[in-house]
Amino acid sequence: MSHQDSSVDEAVERAVELAAAGQRTVLGIAGAPGSGKSTLARRVVAAVDERLGAGTAVQVPMDGFHLSNAALDALGRHGRKGAVDTFDADGYVALVRRLVVADTTVWAPDFDRRIDEPVAGSIAVAPTTRLVVSEGNYLLDDTEPWAALGDLFTETWFCAVDDGVRVDRLVGRHMRHGRDHDAARAWAVEVDGVNAARVAPTVIRASRTVRT
Ligand SMILES: Nc1ncnc2c1ncn2[C@@H]1O[C@H](COP(=O)(O)OP(=O)(O)OP(=O)(O)O)[C@@H](O)[C@H]1O
Ligand SMILES: [Mg+2]
């Protein structure tokens, strides 16, 4: 597949096209922490529902598969929450497989930033839902089990943004969630930075880059 480079508006048009096609489409949106994945997915779902009817599209975040804080404590990984080994990757891949089949209502977990924990059974995906937009850091990772996702998504998009802008956005968000400026910056550069470095090269497997 040739690689497309597009604006958010062009990406939205493509999503409407996919949603109108008739059968279930599962779209993956990857990108570094703070690159705008969740915002793009929200915008796509809102635009598709506005054009084709409410409930045509639904957003399913990979973040619903964050391990719980208790599990991270037990594993000694709480200090690098968001790293590739702090998610239930097999659980996420299994969910995407079920989303592709589309024969029953699938209840997906969400991540609640207010309590900083995943919450099971949060998002209903009905068999009639045309477009599922799933988004997360590691959707294009080439290690198992993530690599299996390549055959499950209809298309995979990558959110691209200038690194300085991305870090500023993350600092802002970490501060809104209660960290002081120095702690927010340290987390954005050190913990999120390691994850961003892992995600960046995976753009080569994306079908489209979206400038956010
Ligand atoms: N196109 C945009 N223009 C301006 N700000 C944006 C844009 N997209 C996202 N942002 C802002 O950047 C921050 C991060 O965006 P978002 O939460 O969508 O990123 P993300 O890739 O989902 O991050 P994470 O990996 O941490 O879940 C948010 O504060 C959001 O409001
Ligand atoms: Mg997000």
Side-chain angles (χ1 to χ4, degrees):
M1 203 188 307
S2 65
H3 189 96
Q4 308 248 345
D5 196 350
S6 69
S7 65
V8 168
D9 288 343
E10 289 164 337
V12 164
E13 288 310 310
R14 176 61 184 153
V16 172
E17 225 172 82
L18 289 170
Q23 72 282 42
R24 165 67 56 85
T25 296
V26 187
L27 171 66
I29 301 180
S35 60
K37 302 177 295 291
S38 301
T39 304
L40 175 62
R42 244 188 336 269
R43 177 128 177 230
V44 162
V45 167
V48 166
D49 277 8
E50 192 187 310
R51 303 259 284 271
L52 301 175
T56 307
V58 67
Q59 178 172 358
V60 176
M62 185 202 92
D63 276 359
F65 289 85
H66 266 291
L67 297 179
S68 70
N69 289 323
L72 291 173
D73 284 333
L75 291 165
R77 298 178 193 168
H78 201 157
R80 51 191 182 81
K81 186 169 184 167
V84 71
D85 62 349
T86 64
F87 291 89
D88 173 17
D90 287 304
Y92 176 66
V93 173
L95 178 88
V96 175
R97 282 191 206 287
R98 293 176 63 208
L99 292 170
V100 169
V101 174
D103 58 350
T104 57
T105 294
V106 174
W107 284 95
D110 200 359
F111 183 72
D112 188 339
R113 287 194 188 274
R114 291 165 304 180
I115 57 169
D116 195 37
E117 294 276 13
V119 180
S122 296
I123 302 165
V125 185
T128 50
T129 301
R130 286 281 170 258
L131 178 68
V132 178
V133 184
S134 191
E135 42 98 14
N137 289 359
Y138 305 113
L139 271 50
L140 289 165
D141 202 88
D142 65 352
T143 62
E144 290 304 326
W146 306 99
L149 294 167
D151 292 332
L152 300 175
F153 293 126
T154 307
E155 292 188 6
T156 317
W157 300 354
F158 193 90
C159 287
V161 66
D162 175 78
D163 230 44
V165 173
R166 190 180 61 75
V167 171
D168 286 346
R169 287 178 184 174
L170 284 172
V171 171
R173 199 176 63 201
H174 293 325
M175 288 179 74
R176 280 196 296 282
H177 287 93
R179 291 193 171 98
D180 68 31
H181 182 268
D182 288 355
R185 181 136 206 112
W187 190 278
V189 171
E190 287 156 29
V191 181
D192 295 329
V194 169
N195 303 331
R198 178 161 182 140
V199 172
T202 71
V203 66
I204 57 165
R205 282 182 291 282
S207 51
R208 177 184 298 262
T209 298
V210 185
R211 295 178 305 275
T212 66

